Amino acid sequence: MASERESIHGQWSSRLAFILAATGSAVGLGNIWKFPYIAGENGGGAFVLIYLVCIAVIGIPIMMAEVLLGRRGRQSPINTMRTLAAEEHANRHWKWLGWAGMLAGFLILSYYSVIAGWALAYVFRTGSGLFTGLTADGVQTIFTNMVNDPERLLAWHTIFMVMTMTVVARGVSGGLEKAVKLLMPALFVLLFVLVGYAWNSGGFYQGVSFLFQPDFSKITANGILIAMGHAFFTLSLGMGAIMVYGSYLPGTASIAKTCIAVSLMDTLVALLAGLAIFPIVFANGLEPGVGPGLIFQTLPIAFGHMDYGAFFGMLFFVLLVFAAWSSSISLIEPAVAWLVENRGMTRIFASVVAGLTTWLFGLLTVLSFNLWSELKLLSGIGIFRDSTIFDLLDYLTANIMLPLGGLLIAVFAAWKMSRAATVDELAMGDGFFYKLWRFLVRYITPVAVIIVFLKAVSVI
Ligand code: TRP
């Protein structure tokens, strides 16, 4: 039996609807844009292995904890934490976890939207056949020209934010839920097509060994932190997105099975993206560690050379935009739900307020690829020597705020909530799997996050 509370924002129509929404949130730029480029920057195999371990032992248990808290509280993360803290006689300051999550959501979406704007721009660039027959150099020039132009980035960022606000204003379980049902399988199919192209590219073997042959001499303490941070980022954990989605989950659905299904799909998409991209990198003599432009500098080469490449390319970027779209709404939903609950705003007005704020923050990222590209705020600190504002925002949110948020979620669920309440809410009995979950969130997750933090701090 789950708690009797009901959400004022409505509920998913079924467990499947929740799986789709949560998968929509999890699968996004993180899988297709970010995973390949950070794997490339951090030496490949060993990084990938650590990331996979983090998904299994940290990500899945924390996702379960987040859904559990959300479904029990049935409100925005801030109010859920406030209610549950009171109910469990915990310190009232736990509500700050909700606030920190809301801030993280704003910051992440502010840059997420700019990158999603690149994907939007590439729908038209690939669709028009611009890349047909181009070499790696030509493709790179097109990318560089785009990011060098702040006005263009601003325009695409604005369009993407308007798209996000429109969906959030209409409520999360509306049209996008149906779109995800159709587009997610299409994205899978297209990734397979790309892997097929990569298979014949001449670099497949090298790509596979780069991704799956761990060479631990290539990994640093900071690389381990990035791998762990990415496990949180890619599963949308640590800031309340999954918590707020959990608050709309019908009381009878199994949390454990749902979370495992979502995590498996998410991981599969990331690995397919890696398998599509790295063979192209090696076949064309490119650098795996070029950074955030990686997919925009590799995949168009493939589209420029395959049959019907303009069509496939356009379709790919359309699907990528949809994947980013269904993720971006979850980044802003905690703030919108809170504005509706506590400020008495309508959903539409709340979406505009939250969207405009994010849009403004986004200017920092827009400028850090061109006019401010030489502005290195923390140039005095070794690992941040070359970090732009975008790099710092990404590092702060993905590698610090999310793991810290996740750690606190685990501590609350496993140490502050009564055992009976969690047994009740997870509704999987009190057997082996419950005990395993509890052991992981009580001991393994917090200790792992703290060790990785301490290691990383020691090298800064
Ligand atoms: N998981 C998404 C991706 O991989 C991004 C995302 C959506 C996210 N909601 C989030 C990241 C909440 C962190 C927290 O693209």
Side-chain angles (χ1 to χ4, degrees):
M1 254 317 288
S3 89
E4 300 289 313
R5 253 185 299 270
E6 282 187 21
S7 166
I8 63 163
H9 309 282
Q11 215 177 68
W12 304 114
S13 50
S14 63
R15 181 172 92 103
L16 182 65
F18 171 80
I19 295 192
L20 286 171
T23 311
S25 167
V27 175
L29 295 174
N31 309 61
I32 293 170
W33 159 73
K34 191 171 179 190
F35 170 71
Y37 96 73
I38 55 176
E41 284 180 336
N42 290 284
F47 178 89
V48 174
L49 186 65
I50 295 167
Y51 153 80
L52 291 174
V53 171
C54 289
I55 294 277
V57 297
I58 303 181
I60 296 177
I62 291 196
M63 189 188 280
M64 290 172 61
E66 235 188 281
V67 177
L68 178 166
L69 296 185
R71 186 164 75 177
R72 204 155 186 88
R74 289 253 184 251
Q75 298 154 73
S76 65
I78 296 175
N79 290 324
T80 284
M81 289 315 298
R82 193 198 313 269
T83 308
L84 294 182
E87 202 166 273
E88 303 287 341
H89 308 293
N91 192 307
R92 65 193 171 78
H93 289 303
W94 279 99
K95 69 165 189 269
W96 290 106
L97 178 55
W99 280 101
M102 200 164 105
L103 178 66
F106 274 125
L107 295 177
I108 295 175
L109 184 54
S110 80
Y111 68 79
Y112 202 84
S113 165
V114 176
I115 311 292
W118 297 359
L120 262 175
Y122 268 61
V123 170
F124 300 95
R125 283 175 174 61
T126 45
S128 66
L130 183 63
F131 296 108
T132 312
L134 285 192
T135 58
D137 276 345
V139 170
Q140 186 177 353
T141 309
I142 291 176
F143 177 75
T144 315
N145 286 343
M146 177 180 75
V147 296
N148 278 344
D149 182 347
E151 282 168 27
R152 238 185 272 178
L153 297 195
L154 181 64
W156 292 116
H157 163 54
T158 309
I159 295 173
F160 188 78
M161 274 317 298
V162 171
M163 287 165 57
T164 302
M165 279 150 64
T166 311
V167 172
V168 176
R170 302 173 73 186
V172 176
S173 63
L176 208 72
E177 190 183 306
K178 294 192 195 76
V180 169
K181 202 185 283 189
L182 197 79
L183 297 171
M184 206 60 78
L187 185 64
F188 265 110
V189 172
L190 215 66
L191 280 170
F192 275 110
V193 170
L194 281 172
V195 174
Y197 175 86
W199 174 273
N200 293 317
S201 69
F204 198 71
Y205 175 75
Q206 245 180 314
V208 170
S209 51
F210 180 79
L211 267 180
F212 296 113
Q213 236 172 41
D215 172 357
F216 284 95
S217 67
K218 290 201 183 135
I219 196 90
T220 59
N222 190 42
I224 297 176
L225 177 62
I226 296 174
M228 181 179 79
H230 189 63
F232 285 92
F233 187 93
T234 192
L235 295 177
S236 303
L237 299 177
M239 56 72 65
I242 291 296
M243 196 186 292
V244 82
Y245 276 17
S247 76
Y248 312 143
L249 179 65
T252 47
S254 155
I255 293 181
K257 283 188 206 145
T258 313
C259 292
I260 292 174
V262 172
S263 307
L264 284 179
M265 281 190 272
D266 186 80
T267 308
L268 189 60
V269 173
L271 295 179
L272 284 175
L275 278 178
I277 288 166
F278 285 108
I280 303 178
V281 169
F282 294 112
N284 290 280
L286 299 169
E287 243 314 291
V290 292
L294 184 66
I295 68 161
F296 298 94
Q297 294 172 31
T298 49
L299 294 183
I301 304 177
F303 296 129
H305 287 93
M306 63 170 76
D307 294 337
Y308 309 107
F311 169 75
F312 280 126
M314 188 169 92
L315 190 59
F316 174 81
F317 283 106
V318 166
L319 295 173
L320 182 58
V321 167
F322 270 97
W325 200 2
S326 59
S327 301
S328 64
I329 56 176
S330 73
L331 283 161
I332 206 172
E333 177 66 18
V336 171
W338 180 80
L339 288 170
V340 171
E341 285 163 12
N342 286 45
R343 290 286 173 266
M345 293 183 190
T346 61
R347 261 199 96 82
I348 296 183
F349 191 58
S351 312
V352 172
V353 170
L356 270 179
T357 316
T358 320
W359 177 83
L360 263 182
F361 271 122
L363 300 184
L364 294 174
T365 297
V366 164
L367 293 172
S368 69
F369 285 100
N370 35 68
L371 301 180
W372 293 354
S373 62
E374 291 311 311
L375 186 61
K376 312 280 160 70
L377 292 179
L378 298 183
S379 56
I381 303 176
I383 59 166
F384 298 122
R385 202 173 40 236
D386 296 322
S387 302
T388 61
I389 297 186
F390 157 75
D391 295 325
L392 294 177
L393 268 177
D394 172 45
Y395 197 94
L396 171 71
T397 50
N399 304 337
I400 298 175
M401 295 180 83
L402 299 181
L404 213 54
L407 168 70
L408 291 172
I409 287 167
V411 168
F412 188 87
W415 293 94
K416 294 294 166 182
M417 281 181 89
S418 69
R419 195 171 189 283
T422 53
V423 171
D424 174 47
E425 199 63 52
L426 287 177
M428 57 202 240
D430 194 353
F432 172 75
F433 287 108
Y434 173 79
K435 293 197 173 91
L436 175 65
W437 171 79
R438 192 167 161 88
F439 175 73
L440 288 172
V441 279
R442 270 192 103 131
Y443 303 104
I444 302 301
T445 310
V447 171
V449 173
I450 290 171
I451 291 180
V452 175
F453 266 139
L454 292 181
K455 274 296 259 186
V457 168
S458 70
V459 296
I460 292 179

